[in-house]
Amino acid sequence: MKNNIYLLAILLLFSCQREKIEITVINGYLSNLKNDTVKLVPSEKYFPKFDLIDDNYPISVIDSTGYFEFRVENFKTGFYQLVKNRYHQLSYDLFIEALDSITIKKPEWNSDNFLEISGRGAEKLSYLTIDNQKYPSKSLIYDKLSSKDFATELVFKDYMDSIYAKRLNELRINATTPPYLKKQFRTSLIAEKAFFLLGHLNRRNYIMNDSF
């Protein structure tokens, strides 16, 4: 009889382990979206100002304090963005892995205040908080890169190269960012640099053609 009880207990234990649901948690505060909703969208499925091709994404209600929370079963590892009305709410796409439990605090979309990422799995994203502190969304650096204050293209290029060389070096020496994320962040920085270059050429009325 006692053996049967032990056997039953073991079977129940294994049954509970098999039925254990793996949950990934993404929560935090978006103070500019109170009493609203936000979606968690894979980055490759989102493009600014365009409607989502597939609208079947997790959605969270944001309360009166700006707090939101996603609890997702069987989460697919990858880059994600918080999206509201075709617009992303974070300056950076976040790499989230299954079973992460990450808290994000961003006071305003266009704020020069801090970006804070904490919780289980947040260490790999430490570079983003460091970069945001030094180069926030409303930094005068971005204003200057978008201005007509440069006498020549060479002056603009030297200024832009100096900024992005520092950012790329800070990424290179960051000890907590894994190599596969460093590669992605580096690609994003280079793309951002190209964006400012194209904007500058447009302001200078350059026309690029096959012979450029």
Side-chain angles (χ1 to χ4, degrees):
M1 181 66 177
K2 185 180 292 186
N3 290 338
N4 289 338
I5 294 175
Y6 286 143
L7 179 59
L8 179 60
I10 293 172
L11 289 174
L12 287 173
L13 176 61
F14 280 109
S15 176
C16 290
Q17 289 177 340
R18 284 197 301 270
E19 293 174 1
K20 183 179 179 181
I21 299 175
E22 296 184 344
I23 300 292
T24 302
V25 180
I26 304 98
N27 60 22
Y29 291 89
L30 296 171
S31 60
N32 58 319
L33 286 180
K34 297 175 181 177
N35 298 313
D36 211 324
T37 60
V38 68
K39 292 180 180 179
L40 181 67
V41 181
S43 299
E44 71 271 16
K45 302 294 185 181
Y46 162 77
F47 195 82
K49 301 182 182 181
F50 284 80
D51 290 329
L52 298 174
I53 297 176
D54 181 1
D55 205 27
N56 189 28
Y57 299 115
I59 186 169
S60 173
V61 174
I62 305 172
D63 69 15
S64 60
T65 69
Y67 179 79
F68 67 91
E69 181 176 271
F70 295 94
R71 300 180 66 85
V72 185
E73 299 178 11
N74 303 317
F75 188 83
K76 182 180 179 181
T77 294
F79 283 90
Y80 287 81
Q81 180 61 242
L82 299 178
V83 178
K84 171 65 180 178
N85 290 339
R86 301 185 297 176
Y87 289 92
H88 53 289
Q89 299 302 310
L90 299 175
S91 303
Y92 307 89
D93 293 338
L94 300 182
F95 185 78
I96 305 173
E97 297 177 287
L99 299 183
D100 279 353
S101 182
I102 290 178
T103 297
I104 305 159
K105 293 182 181 179
K106 182 73 171 98
E108 299 288 345
W109 151 244
N110 207 22
S111 171
D112 57 1
N113 292 317
F114 67 90
L115 167 70
E116 181 180 306
I117 306 173
S118 59
R120 186 176 65 246
E123 187 178 49
K124 61 179 175 286
L125 301 172
S126 64
Y127 168 75
L128 298 183
T129 60
I130 295 171
D131 188 67
N132 186 78
Q133 289 171 359
K134 295 183 177 181
Y135 307 97
S137 302
K138 292 179 67 176
S139 171
L140 293 177
I141 292 172
Y142 292 123
D143 291 340
K144 187 172 179 65
L145 284 171
S146 301
S147 71
K148 297 180 179 180
D149 295 342
F150 300 93
T152 67
E153 282 63 49
L154 184 59
V155 174
F156 172 81
K157 182 179 183 301
D158 287 344
Y159 179 78
M160 183 175 64
D161 285 348
S162 68
I163 298 301
Y164 283 90
K166 293 176 183 177
R167 296 178 74 180
L168 288 167
N169 184 62
E170 288 165 356
L171 173 61
R172 180 183 62 81
I173 64 176
N174 186 282
T176 62
T177 303
Y180 60 90
L181 278 186
K182 284 189 176 183
K183 181 178 179 180
Q184 178 67 28
F185 293 156
R186 184 177 185 276
T187 299
S188 296
L189 286 173
I190 292 173
E192 183 178 285
K193 182 179 176 182
F195 169 81
F196 283 113
L197 175 60
L198 290 174
H200 175 75
L201 293 176
N202 183 60
R203 287 188 294 276
R204 302 284 289 193
N205 295 320
Y206 273 78
I207 299 177
M208 289 182 287
N209 52 42
D210 293 340
S211 61
F212 178 76

